[in-house]
Each structure stands twice: as C-alpha cells, then as structure tokens.
Amino acid sequence: MFRRERSIPLRGSAAALCNNLSVLQLPSCNLTHFGVVHGPSAQLLSAAPEGVPLAQRQLHAKEGAGVSPPLITQMYESDGSVMVYWHALDAGDASLVQAVFARGIAASGHYVCVGTWAGRVLVFDIPTKGPNIVLSEELARHQTPITDIATEPAQGQDCVADTVTADDSGLLCVWRSGPKFKLLTQIPGFGVPCSSVQLWQGTIAAGYGNGQVRLYEASTGTIHVQINAHARAICALDLAPEVGKLLSAAEDTFIHIWKLSRSPEGGYIEVEHCHGECMPDTQLCGARFCDPSGSSFAVTGYDLAEILRFSSM
Amino acid sequence: MSIRTLPLLFLNLGGEMLYILDQRLRAQNIPGDKARKVMNDIISTMFNQKFMEELFKPQELYSKKALRTVYDRLAHASIMRLNQASMDKLYDLMTMAFKYQVLLCPRPKDVLLVTLNHLDAIKGLIQDSPTILHQVDETFRQLTDIYGGLSAGEFQLIRQTLLIFFQDLHIRVSIFLKDKVQNSNGRFVLPVSGPVPWGTEVPGLIRTFNHKGEEVKKTEFKHGGSYVAAPKEGSLELYGDRVLKLGTNMYSANRPVETHMSAASKNLASRTQESIVPNPLAKEELNLLARLIGGMEMQKPSGPEPGFRLNLFTTDEEEEQAALTRPEELSYEVINIQATQDQLANDELARIMGEFEITDQSRRNASKGDDWLAMMDEL
C-alpha cells in the first residue's frame, strides 16, 4: 500500500512527452534531483528527504545561429549549474517532411547514448576526469525515430547485453557497450511505438503505445510475458533494481507496480501485479522510483505543475 | 516536434469556429440569407485552394499570436463583424473544445477522425454551393492522402505537439461544466471506463510464455478501470461511420456558449517568458503568415449588402463588461507589426523588420501581402 506524500511544486507544468521525469538520488548528501521538461526548457530541482524543495533551475536550449537551430545535445553538472558539453548535429540529411529532434538518453559505463529522429544512436565517451567528451560512435540500426534507451551495469562477461534501444516502430535493438558497440539481437515491433524500455538482469521490459508491457529475454529476444497493462499508451517505465520491481505509467491515469522474478522450474521470467494507483484526470507523462528498493515513487502529468510523490506505508 | 500538425490544428479549430458562429447566427435571429452568405463566405475562404496549399506544406506550428491573427481574418471574411470581446470569447471556446478533443482521443490516430467529423459537419453547413462543397472534398482528399499513411509513432508526435500548443489553458466552458466533462478547476475529466482504443486490449491479463513461445500461464489482475473492447475502427472514407463522437457539433440552437473568465491557471511564469524573450523567428513567422493569409481570397463587402455585428454574449452590456474584466494573462494579442518592431531590442532584427515598412500608396496598387500588413497595423 502506498500513501500520498507532499507534492513538489514546479515552475512550469510538465509537457506531454514520454519518460518526462528523471530522478537522481544522491544519498551521500541526502538530496534527490528531479528533472522535468516543460516545453522549450527543462526544470531541474533538488529536494530534501521529505520532498521539501530546495533549489530550482531552468535549462534552455542553446540558441544556434541561423533560422533553424541546429539539433543540440547539452550536458550539465547534475545540479544544472554548469554546462560541460554541447553537440550540434548535422540535420542536413533530414528530408523536408521530417521533424528534427533528439529523444532517448541513457548512460552505460562511461558511455552516454542519445537517440535521434533519424533512428541514429549517438554514443558519447565521457572521461572520468576533465571535459573531453567525444562522440565515439553512431549506431545506425533503427529506421524510425528513437523513443527510449535503457542500460544496466555490465555483468562482466563479454556477450551480456547492457544496452537496449527502442524506436517508433516498436523495434528493440539489444547491444553490448564498448569502444565499438556490438549488436546482440533485435526484437521486431508490431506496428506500435515502444515508448519506454528498461533492462534488468538480462530481462527487457518494454512499454508500448497500445498499453501493453512485454518482457523479453535480452540474450535471445524471446518474449516471455505479455501484460495487457493499460488502456492507453504507456508513457514511462522504471525499475527498482534491488528488488526487481517494475513501475508502469500510462495516459490512462494509472500507474501499476509489478514484481519480476524467475520461475523455480523453468527459470523463465514471471510477473506478479503488486499495486495500482489512479491519478484522477491526469494524463501521466513520467514516473520513476525514488529509491532502488522501490519503496517510493514520483509521477508527473500533462498540464500538472507539480511532481506527485508516493511512499509505501 | 512534428511539422505536420498545422493543417490538423487549423481545420479543427476552424470547424469549432463554424459550429459556434452557426449557433450564434441562429440565436441572434440573423436573417437566413445573411447567415447563409456569412457561412458560405467563411467556409469558402477557409478551403480556398491557394490557402490550403500553403497550409499543407510541412512546417512548424505558428505561435498562438500568429494563429489568432489568422482566425481574426477568417471571421471577418464576410459581411459579419465581431468586437474584440466576442472574438476573444470565440477563440477561447474554439481552443478549449479542440484541446478537449485531442486529450480525449483514444489513440493518437483518432485526431484524424476528429478532423473528418469536423469536415463532415462543415459540408452540412454549406448551402446551395456545389463549388464550396467540392473545395471541402478536395481538402478531404489531401488530408487522407497525407495522413492516411502516417505511422502510429508519427501520430503520437502530432498529438504531443498539439498538447504542447494547448498547455496551461484552463478556461472553463459552461457547456463542458454542465456536461461534467470539465472540472471546476478547468481540468478535463478523463474517464476510466468505456471502450479501449482500436488496437488496444482490455487491461487485466498477464500471459506467460516459455522459451518455445508456448503459453504456460494466464493470470488476471485488477486494473482499476472498467473498460470494454473497442466496437470497430472509424472509417477514413469520404462517407463512412467515424465511430468517434469527438469533433461533432455539440452546440444546438438552445445550448448557450458561455465561458467563465476567472483564470484557473495561476502559472504566469511560463507565459511572461514567452513575451519577454525577443522572438528571433519573428521575421520568419511573419513571412509564413503573410504567405498564408495572402492565399486567403477575401470577399470584400461590395454592393448594397450591409454588414452586421455578431455578439457572442447574450447582451451588448455583457459584451462590454467582458471586455473590461478580461484578465491580463488571457488577453490575445493580434500581431501588430509596429509593436513587434518596438519590442525587438536587437538592432539587426529591427533593420530586417524595416523591410516590412508600409508606404502610403493607395491600396488598389499594393499587392495582397501589403494590403494585409496595412490592415494589421490599423487593428
């Protein structure tokens, strides 16, 4: 059971974009950072344990020269205080009828992957010290715009998947990160965008535009679970890695929490429904667990100028 | 965001505008022949071929100001006049209605069905003019040609683009409050029952498979809503059952078109941001706007046909009162070239803007674009 905690007010309401909430917990300084996109700006705010807001900062897209701003990726310190890097893309090969944007971002080891409208995944190499971020590789497997990217810490062995990229056609590509990313397997789509994806212990959790959550074995791409989870498009998925809990949020105003496990007999993935919560009249756009044990989560909704928070009783 | 959104935005808002004008013309007992002329003139201007050509070009959405300017022109395409307060109210109703429709579309592609619902109804509003009917049918064909083949992902981007356009608008509309589709805080009610979108299964089922792809377990869970399966898919044919009711005419002769003017959104920070930052795209947008409106062939009120004023309120006093009490943050500003020039601190941009200077030539000699710009300055 979860109870509603104090909401964190936002200066601007959340935009109707998928995966529109990021949470970074810094247990060492007892702070949690939240990131929400409003429109042309992103809001970064930090809060103390009880959700007491401490600081809020707005980050804007850097204005480029010329009429059409070049596509840009911008990287900052985690509190948004300093921009450490920016990268402009050559949108020259975009046809006139395509919208140009970046979408989907995840970190794997010392790599940060960013997706683009053309289906490319840019891989940036982040050095441990110093500002020398370089574009290491451009993965060109997807043909439609990237929607989301998920990673999990490498398990040590060579062929273990640690990165998954998803796109508008529902295609999932499974990779092993490194100086040259290796494609391990592909999972075809079925005509519906895969809006959000997560990776946990070799299991891929994918949320789709038709409200389904599907779980796949990352190494083989085999489907193991299909959940008719929501009545509208899924906007966000998140994982609590310590306990294998999955959070799904959708435009149907519901969030659901699921428990992932391996069956004792066959070793295949199983899912159990734990909890459902309705946010009345709120089209959700982002949801995250606020701690790795999944005992609390936060949610954003379209037109809502606050972050809703819940914690278990 | 999506560069295919403008036609959908324009046609649906235009449709809502026609529903409201039609209702007010009847409520105000405007003589049949005048009402017919107004509706036909506006519809014909809206679906003019040149105008549609400009509209359907892939492009970013206009700013709210720019779009409002287009509807101002459109509403005055005939012998009818609207005061500022009535025009404001008309625009409020149009935008909130379409926002509601977009938000409640079961699947993103359904916004196309909403557009077709508007087109179907617009055809019903045309009287004795096969030419105008043909114009609308042409637009129908263009719509289905371009949008019929778009993927679910592209429609999702279009929907997100529309929702971002309508973000933070919470004007309360009487008819929505009465029908309980809008709450008293201005937010729309999102029902958790009814048919699921076409292509979605009713939530509640978990299916587990083994590595051979065989289903080994089936369990149910309590979703929380009470949904049923979708009956059938709406038709995209010229004539067909759209299934979806969103976008059909909700105004009958007896339902009033009131709005409540207390600004439900206290969030002013984002709006002031929009007006303070000088818009470096101002010139680009003006160019696009000029081309778009240049494609509108305005029916000049010629001959003995006298114009009339339409009031969106029940009395003239109400209209005056509304103009005085409209909250600052909800005032729509029609684009005024001079004001834009003053606002731009940047000398460089001001110089570019100077290219739009209006000379004192007689209007008869000026081109269509200059004609429009001159009229804008007089607003």
Side-chain angles (χ1 to χ4, degrees), chain A residues 98-128:
Chain A
Q98 280 178 300
V100 167
F101 54 85
R103 187 170 58 187
I105 184 164
S108 174
H110 57 95
Y111 296 104
V112 168
C113 302
V114 176
T116 74
W117 85 96
R120 299 275 163 83
V121 178
L122 308 176
V123 181
F124 295 94
D125 192 335
I126 318 285
T128 31

PDB file of all heavy atoms in Angstrom, chain A residues 98-128:
ATOM      1  N   GLN A  98      10.510  15.763 -42.423  1.00  0.00           N
ATOM      2  CA  GLN A  98      10.788  15.133 -41.143  1.00  0.00           C
ATOM      3  C   GLN A  98      11.043  16.176 -40.074  1.00  0.00           C
ATOM      4  O   GLN A  98      11.746  17.148 -40.301  1.00  0.00           O
ATOM      5  CB  GLN A  98      12.045  14.274 -41.258  1.00  0.00           C
ATOM      6  CG  GLN A  98      11.814  12.929 -41.882  1.00  0.00           C
ATOM      7  CD  GLN A  98      13.140  12.194 -41.996  1.00  0.00           C
ATOM      8  OE1 GLN A  98      14.055  12.664 -42.641  1.00  0.00           O
ATOM      9  NE2 GLN A  98      13.233  11.060 -41.363  1.00  0.00           N
ATOM     10  N   ALA A  99      10.519  15.927 -38.908  1.00  0.00           N
ATOM     11  CA  ALA A  99      10.829  16.784 -37.768  1.00  0.00           C
ATOM     12  C   ALA A  99      12.189  16.350 -37.250  1.00  0.00           C
ATOM     13  O   ALA A  99      12.512  15.175 -37.269  1.00  0.00           O
ATOM     14  CB  ALA A  99       9.776  16.608 -36.688  1.00  0.00           C
ATOM     15  N   VAL A 100      12.976  17.299 -36.799  1.00  0.00           N
ATOM     16  CA  VAL A 100      14.328  17.007 -36.348  1.00  0.00           C
ATOM     17  C   VAL A 100      14.402  17.164 -34.833  1.00  0.00           C
ATOM     18  O   VAL A 100      14.093  18.214 -34.300  1.00  0.00           O
ATOM     19  CB  VAL A 100      15.316  17.970 -37.048  1.00  0.00           C
ATOM     20  CG1 VAL A 100      16.675  17.929 -36.392  1.00  0.00           C
ATOM     21  CG2 VAL A 100      15.431  17.616 -38.520  1.00  0.00           C
ATOM     22  N   PHE A 101      14.756  16.104 -34.138  1.00  0.00           N
ATOM     23  CA  PHE A 101      14.830  16.204 -32.677  1.00  0.00           C
ATOM     24  C   PHE A 101      15.702  15.084 -32.125  1.00  0.00           C
ATOM     25  O   PHE A 101      16.028  14.126 -32.828  1.00  0.00           O
ATOM     26  CB  PHE A 101      13.429  16.098 -32.056  1.00  0.00           C
ATOM     27  CG  PHE A 101      12.649  14.872 -32.460  1.00  0.00           C
ATOM     28  CD1 PHE A 101      12.801  13.663 -31.791  1.00  0.00           C
ATOM     29  CD2 PHE A 101      11.753  14.925 -33.514  1.00  0.00           C
ATOM     30  CE1 PHE A 101      12.083  12.533 -32.176  1.00  0.00           C
ATOM     31  CE2 PHE A 101      11.029  13.803 -33.900  1.00  0.00           C
ATOM     32  CZ  PHE A 101      11.200  12.606 -33.232  1.00  0.00           C
ATOM     33  N   ALA A 102      16.060  15.224 -30.862  1.00  0.00           N
ATOM     34  CA  ALA A 102      16.771  14.167 -30.141  1.00  0.00           C
ATOM     35  C   ALA A 102      15.825  13.613 -29.087  1.00  0.00           C
ATOM     36  O   ALA A 102      15.021  14.350 -28.524  1.00  0.00           O
ATOM     37  CB  ALA A 102      18.019  14.730 -29.463  1.00  0.00           C
ATOM     38  N   ARG A 103      15.861  12.323 -28.875  1.00  0.00           N
ATOM     39  CA  ARG A 103      14.974  11.717 -27.878  1.00  0.00           C
ATOM     40  C   ARG A 103      15.606  10.423 -27.383  1.00  0.00           C
ATOM     41  O   ARG A 103      16.146   9.656 -28.171  1.00  0.00           O
ATOM     42  CB  ARG A 103      13.604  11.430 -28.502  1.00  0.00           C
ATOM     43  CG  ARG A 103      12.560  10.953 -27.519  1.00  0.00           C
ATOM     44  CD  ARG A 103      11.167  10.931 -28.153  1.00  0.00           C
ATOM     45  NE  ARG A 103      11.125  10.077 -29.320  1.00  0.00           N
ATOM     46  CZ  ARG A 103      10.073   9.993 -30.138  1.00  0.00           C
ATOM     47  NH1 ARG A 103       9.012  10.726 -29.917  1.00  0.00           N
ATOM     48  NH2 ARG A 103      10.098   9.198 -31.179  1.00  0.00           N
ATOM     49  N   GLY A 104      15.554  10.188 -26.104  1.00  0.00           N
ATOM     50  CA  GLY A 104      16.114   8.966 -25.535  1.00  0.00           C
ATOM     51  C   GLY A 104      17.545   9.188 -25.105  1.00  0.00           C
ATOM     52  O   GLY A 104      18.383   9.618 -25.889  1.00  0.00           O
ATOM     53  N   ILE A 105      17.810   8.915 -23.844  1.00  0.00           N
ATOM     54  CA  ILE A 105      19.169   9.113 -23.339  1.00  0.00           C
ATOM     55  C   ILE A 105      19.422   8.139 -22.202  1.00  0.00           C
ATOM     56  O   ILE A 105      18.538   7.881 -21.385  1.00  0.00           O
ATOM     57  CB  ILE A 105      19.381  10.577 -22.888  1.00  0.00           C
ATOM     58  CG1 ILE A 105      20.829  10.812 -22.458  1.00  0.00           C
ATOM     59  CG2 ILE A 105      18.424  10.958 -21.755  1.00  0.00           C
ATOM     60  CD1 ILE A 105      21.211  12.269 -22.364  1.00  0.00           C
ATOM     61  N   ALA A 106      20.603   7.544 -22.158  1.00  0.00           N
ATOM     62  CA  ALA A 106      20.940   6.638 -21.070  1.00  0.00           C
ATOM     63  C   ALA A 106      22.451   6.532 -20.971  1.00  0.00           C
ATOM     64  O   ALA A 106      23.164   6.763 -21.946  1.00  0.00           O
ATOM     65  CB  ALA A 106      20.333   5.259 -21.298  1.00  0.00           C
ATOM     66  N   ALA A 107      22.915   6.162 -19.787  1.00  0.00           N
ATOM     67  CA  ALA A 107      24.350   6.037 -19.561  1.00  0.00           C
ATOM     68  C   ALA A 107      24.700   4.578 -19.329  1.00  0.00           C
ATOM     69  O   ALA A 107      23.984   3.864 -18.622  1.00  0.00           O
ATOM     70  CB  ALA A 107      24.764   6.863 -18.352  1.00  0.00           C
ATOM     71  N   SER A 108      25.788   4.144 -19.954  1.00  0.00           N
ATOM     72  CA  SER A 108      26.257   2.770 -19.752  1.00  0.00           C
ATOM     73  C   SER A 108      27.759   2.828 -19.532  1.00  0.00           C
ATOM     74  O   SER A 108      28.514   3.115 -20.462  1.00  0.00           O
ATOM     75  CB  SER A 108      25.935   1.929 -20.994  1.00  0.00           C
ATOM     76  OG  SER A 108      26.512   0.646 -20.863  1.00  0.00           O
ATOM     77  N   GLY A 109      28.179   2.539 -18.317  1.00  0.00           N
ATOM     78  CA  GLY A 109      29.602   2.647 -18.012  1.00  0.00           C
ATOM     79  C   GLY A 109      30.043   4.085 -18.203  1.00  0.00           C
ATOM     80  O   GLY A 109      29.446   4.998 -17.653  1.00  0.00           O
ATOM     81  N   HIS A 110      31.042   4.309 -19.050  1.00  0.00           N
ATOM     82  CA  HIS A 110      31.446   5.691 -19.296  1.00  0.00           C
ATOM     83  C   HIS A 110      30.931   6.181 -20.648  1.00  0.00           C
ATOM     84  O   HIS A 110      31.479   7.096 -21.234  1.00  0.00           O
ATOM     85  CB  HIS A 110      32.966   5.855 -19.176  1.00  0.00           C
ATOM     86  CG  HIS A 110      33.730   4.938 -20.105  1.00  0.00           C
ATOM     87  ND1 HIS A 110      34.161   5.328 -21.346  1.00  0.00           N
ATOM     88  CD2 HIS A 110      34.123   3.652 -19.953  1.00  0.00           C
ATOM     89  CE1 HIS A 110      34.794   4.321 -21.923  1.00  0.00           C
ATOM     90  NE2 HIS A 110      34.786   3.294 -21.109  1.00  0.00           N
ATOM     91  N   TYR A 111      29.853   5.545 -21.131  1.00  0.00           N
ATOM     92  CA  TYR A 111      29.246   5.993 -22.376  1.00  0.00           C
ATOM     93  C   TYR A 111      27.875   6.587 -22.101  1.00  0.00           C
ATOM     94  O   TYR A 111      27.128   6.091 -21.264  1.00  0.00           O
ATOM     95  CB  TYR A 111      29.073   4.817 -23.344  1.00  0.00           C
ATOM     96  CG  TYR A 111      30.384   4.202 -23.770  1.00  0.00           C
ATOM     97  CD1 TYR A 111      30.811   2.996 -23.233  1.00  0.00           C
ATOM     98  CD2 TYR A 111      31.201   4.850 -24.698  1.00  0.00           C
ATOM     99  CE1 TYR A 111      32.015   2.437 -23.609  1.00  0.00           C
ATOM    100  CE2 TYR A 111      32.407   4.295 -25.080  1.00  0.00           C
ATOM    101  CZ  TYR A 111      32.822   3.091 -24.532  1.00  0.00           C
ATOM    102  OH  TYR A 111      34.019   2.544 -24.897  1.00  0.00           O
ATOM    103  N   VAL A 112      27.551   7.647 -22.834  1.00  0.00           N
ATOM    104  CA  VAL A 112      26.189   8.182 -22.791  1.00  0.00           C
ATOM    105  C   VAL A 112      25.624   8.049 -24.200  1.00  0.00           C
ATOM    106  O   VAL A 112      26.247   8.471 -25.177  1.00  0.00           O
ATOM    107  CB  VAL A 112      26.172   9.675 -22.357  1.00  0.00           C
ATOM    108  CG1 VAL A 112      24.795  10.286 -22.600  1.00  0.00           C
ATOM    109  CG2 VAL A 112      26.533   9.796 -20.890  1.00  0.00           C
ATOM    110  N   CYS A 113      24.461   7.416 -24.302  1.00  0.00           N
ATOM    111  CA  CYS A 113      23.822   7.217 -25.606  1.00  0.00           C
ATOM    112  C   CYS A 113      22.651   8.177 -25.746  1.00  0.00           C
ATOM    113  O   CYS A 113      21.854   8.325 -24.825  1.00  0.00           O
ATOM    114  CB  CYS A 113      23.288   5.790 -25.719  1.00  0.00           C
ATOM    115  SG  CYS A 113      24.560   4.551 -25.500  1.00  0.00           S
ATOM    116  N   VAL A 114      22.558   8.807 -26.924  1.00  0.00           N
ATOM    117  CA  VAL A 114      21.459   9.735 -27.202  1.00  0.00           C
ATOM    118  C   VAL A 114      20.826   9.343 -28.532  1.00  0.00           C
ATOM    119  O   VAL A 114      21.525   9.122 -29.516  1.00  0.00           O
ATOM    120  CB  VAL A 114      21.966  11.200 -27.303  1.00  0.00           C
ATOM    121  CG1 VAL A 114      20.832  12.141 -27.678  1.00  0.00           C
ATOM    122  CG2 VAL A 114      22.578  11.634 -25.977  1.00  0.00           C
ATOM    123  N   GLY A 115      19.500   9.245 -28.556  1.00  0.00           N
ATOM    124  CA  GLY A 115      18.814   8.861 -29.787  1.00  0.00           C
ATOM    125  C   GLY A 115      18.406  10.071 -30.616  1.00  0.00           C
ATOM    126  O   GLY A 115      18.280  11.173 -30.095  1.00  0.00           O
ATOM    127  N   THR A 116      18.201   9.862 -31.915  1.00  0.00           N
ATOM    128  CA  THR A 116      17.782  10.963 -32.788  1.00  0.00           C
ATOM    129  C   THR A 116      16.556  10.601 -33.616  1.00  0.00           C
ATOM    130  O   THR A 116      16.146   9.442 -33.672  1.00  0.00           O
ATOM    131  CB  THR A 116      18.884  11.368 -33.788  1.00  0.00           C
ATOM    132  OG1 THR A 116      18.970  10.361 -34.814  1.00  0.00           O
ATOM    133  CG2 THR A 116      20.224  11.520 -33.106  1.00  0.00           C
ATOM    134  N   TRP A 117      16.011  11.638 -34.297  1.00  0.00           N
ATOM    135  CA  TRP A 117      14.836  11.460 -35.135  1.00  0.00           C
ATOM    136  C   TRP A 117      15.087  10.489 -36.285  1.00  0.00           C
ATOM    137  O   TRP A 117      14.159   9.880 -36.816  1.00  0.00           O
ATOM    138  CB  TRP A 117      14.424  12.825 -35.704  1.00  0.00           C
ATOM    139  CG  TRP A 117      15.165  13.179 -36.949  1.00  0.00           C
ATOM    140  CD1 TRP A 117      14.742  12.996 -38.228  1.00  0.00           C
ATOM    141  CD2 TRP A 117      16.495  13.705 -37.054  1.00  0.00           C
ATOM    142  NE1 TRP A 117      15.708  13.388 -39.118  1.00  0.00           N
ATOM    143  CE2 TRP A 117      16.789  13.824 -38.428  1.00  0.00           C
ATOM    144  CE3 TRP A 117      17.461  14.088 -36.118  1.00  0.00           C
ATOM    145  CZ2 TRP A 117      18.011  14.317 -38.879  1.00  0.00           C
ATOM    146  CZ3 TRP A 117      18.670  14.587 -36.576  1.00  0.00           C
ATOM    147  CH2 TRP A 117      18.939  14.685 -37.948  1.00  0.00           C
ATOM    148  N   ALA A 118      16.361  10.369 -36.691  1.00  0.00           N
ATOM    149  CA  ALA A 118      16.657   9.545 -37.865  1.00  0.00           C
ATOM    150  C   ALA A 118      16.881   8.086 -37.474  1.00  0.00           C
ATOM    151  O   ALA A 118      17.206   7.258 -38.317  1.00  0.00           O
ATOM    152  CB  ALA A 118      17.885  10.093 -38.570  1.00  0.00           C
ATOM    153  N   GLY A 119      16.741   7.790 -36.189  1.00  0.00           N
ATOM    154  CA  GLY A 119      16.958   6.419 -35.749  1.00  0.00           C
ATOM    155  C   GLY A 119      18.408   6.157 -35.358  1.00  0.00           C
ATOM    156  O   GLY A 119      18.777   5.038 -35.017  1.00  0.00           O
ATOM    157  N   ARG A 120      19.227   7.202 -35.432  1.00  0.00           N
ATOM    158  CA  ARG A 120      20.627   7.003 -35.033  1.00  0.00           C
ATOM    159  C   ARG A 120      20.757   7.053 -33.518  1.00  0.00           C
ATOM    160  O   ARG A 120      19.983   7.727 -32.850  1.00  0.00           O
ATOM    161  CB  ARG A 120      21.501   8.124 -35.604  1.00  0.00           C
ATOM    162  CG  ARG A 120      21.505   8.197 -37.093  1.00  0.00           C
ATOM    163  CD  ARG A 120      22.539   7.236 -37.677  1.00  0.00           C
ATOM    164  NE  ARG A 120      22.289   7.009 -39.080  1.00  0.00           N
ATOM    165  CZ  ARG A 120      22.693   7.825 -40.050  1.00  0.00           C
ATOM    166  NH1 ARG A 120      23.384   8.912 -39.758  1.00  0.00           N
ATOM    167  NH2 ARG A 120      22.417   7.529 -41.301  1.00  0.00           N
ATOM    168  N   VAL A 121      21.760   6.364 -32.997  1.00  0.00           N
ATOM    169  CA  VAL A 121      22.074   6.466 -31.572  1.00  0.00           C
ATOM    170  C   VAL A 121      23.498   6.994 -31.484  1.00  0.00           C
ATOM    171  O   VAL A 121      24.442   6.367 -31.974  1.00  0.00           O
ATOM    172  CB  VAL A 121      21.968   5.096 -30.866  1.00  0.00           C
ATOM    173  CG1 VAL A 121      22.345   5.231 -29.397  1.00  0.00           C
ATOM    174  CG2 VAL A 121      20.564   4.543 -31.001  1.00  0.00           C
ATOM    175  N   LEU A 122      23.640   8.170 -30.916  1.00  0.00           N
ATOM    176  CA  LEU A 122      24.971   8.750 -30.759  1.00  0.00           C
ATOM    177  C   LEU A 122      25.570   8.224 -29.469  1.00  0.00           C
ATOM    178  O   LEU A 122      24.904   8.229 -28.433  1.00  0.00           O
ATOM    179  CB  LEU A 122      24.878  10.275 -30.673  1.00  0.00           C
ATOM    180  CG  LEU A 122      24.106  10.971 -31.786  1.00  0.00           C
ATOM    181  CD1 LEU A 122      24.031  12.460 -31.502  1.00  0.00           C
ATOM    182  CD2 LEU A 122      24.763  10.741 -33.125  1.00  0.00           C
ATOM    183  N   VAL A 123      26.803   7.758 -29.541  1.00  0.00           N
ATOM    184  CA  VAL A 123      27.460   7.264 -28.344  1.00  0.00           C
ATOM    185  C   VAL A 123      28.575   8.232 -27.980  1.00  0.00           C
ATOM    186  O   VAL A 123      29.496   8.448 -28.765  1.00  0.00           O
ATOM    187  CB  VAL A 123      28.047   5.852 -28.581  1.00  0.00           C
ATOM    188  CG1 VAL A 123      28.705   5.346 -27.311  1.00  0.00           C
ATOM    189  CG2 VAL A 123      26.961   4.895 -29.041  1.00  0.00           C
ATOM    190  N   PHE A 124      28.476   8.839 -26.816  1.00  0.00           N
ATOM    191  CA  PHE A 124      29.495   9.770 -26.343  1.00  0.00           C
ATOM    192  C   PHE A 124      30.344   9.070 -25.286  1.00  0.00           C
ATOM    193  O   PHE A 124      29.833   8.373 -24.417  1.00  0.00           O
ATOM    194  CB  PHE A 124      28.848  11.015 -25.722  1.00  0.00           C
ATOM    195  CG  PHE A 124      28.077  11.840 -26.702  1.00  0.00           C
ATOM    196  CD1 PHE A 124      26.705  11.651 -26.856  1.00  0.00           C
ATOM    197  CD2 PHE A 124      28.698  12.815 -27.464  1.00  0.00           C
ATOM    198  CE1 PHE A 124      25.979  12.407 -27.757  1.00  0.00           C
ATOM    199  CE2 PHE A 124      27.981  13.578 -28.372  1.00  0.00           C
ATOM    200  CZ  PHE A 124      26.619  13.372 -28.525  1.00  0.00           C
ATOM    201  N   ASP A 125      31.626   9.303 -25.375  1.00  0.00           N
ATOM    202  CA  ASP A 125      32.564   8.732 -24.408  1.00  0.00           C
ATOM    203  C   ASP A 125      32.865   9.806 -23.366  1.00  0.00           C
ATOM    204  O   ASP A 125      33.371  10.878 -23.703  1.00  0.00           O
ATOM    205  CB  ASP A 125      33.846   8.325 -25.159  1.00  0.00           C
ATOM    206  CG  ASP A 125      34.752   7.456 -24.304  1.00  0.00           C
ATOM    207  OD1 ASP A 125      34.671   7.541 -23.059  1.00  0.00           O
ATOM    208  OD2 ASP A 125      35.536   6.691 -24.881  1.00  0.00           O
ATOM    209  N   ILE A 126      32.534   9.534 -22.114  1.00  0.00           N
ATOM    210  CA  ILE A 126      32.734  10.522 -21.046  1.00  0.00           C
ATOM    211  C   ILE A 126      33.966  10.130 -20.242  1.00  0.00           C
ATOM    212  O   ILE A 126      33.998   9.069 -19.619  1.00  0.00           O
ATOM    213  CB  ILE A 126      31.519  10.547 -20.084  1.00  0.00           C
ATOM    214  CG1 ILE A 126      30.200  10.469 -20.839  1.00  0.00           C
ATOM    215  CG2 ILE A 126      31.592  11.731 -19.143  1.00  0.00           C
ATOM    216  CD1 ILE A 126      29.774  11.701 -21.534  1.00  0.00           C
ATOM    217  N   PRO A 127      35.007  10.954 -20.241  1.00  0.00           N
ATOM    218  CA  PRO A 127      36.211  10.618 -19.472  1.00  0.00           C
ATOM    219  C   PRO A 127      35.935  10.769 -17.981  1.00  0.00           C
ATOM    220  O   PRO A 127      35.058  11.535 -17.588  1.00  0.00           O
ATOM    221  CB  PRO A 127      37.237  11.660 -19.941  1.00  0.00           C
ATOM    222  CG  PRO A 127      36.410  12.824 -20.363  1.00  0.00           C
ATOM    223  CD  PRO A 127      35.108  12.295 -20.855  1.00  0.00           C
ATOM    224  N   THR A 128      36.681  10.024 -17.158  1.00  0.00           N
ATOM    225  CA  THR A 128      36.465  10.094 -15.708  1.00  0.00           C
ATOM    226  C   THR A 128      36.836  11.462 -15.175  1.00  0.00           C
ATOM    227  O   THR A 128      36.242  11.960 -14.226  1.00  0.00           O
ATOM    228  CB  THR A 128      37.288   9.027 -14.956  1.00  0.00           C
ATOM    229  OG1 THR A 128      38.479   8.790 -15.697  1.00  0.00           O
ATOM    230  CG2 THR A 128      36.505   7.729 -14.865  1.00  0.00           C
TER     231      THR A 128
END
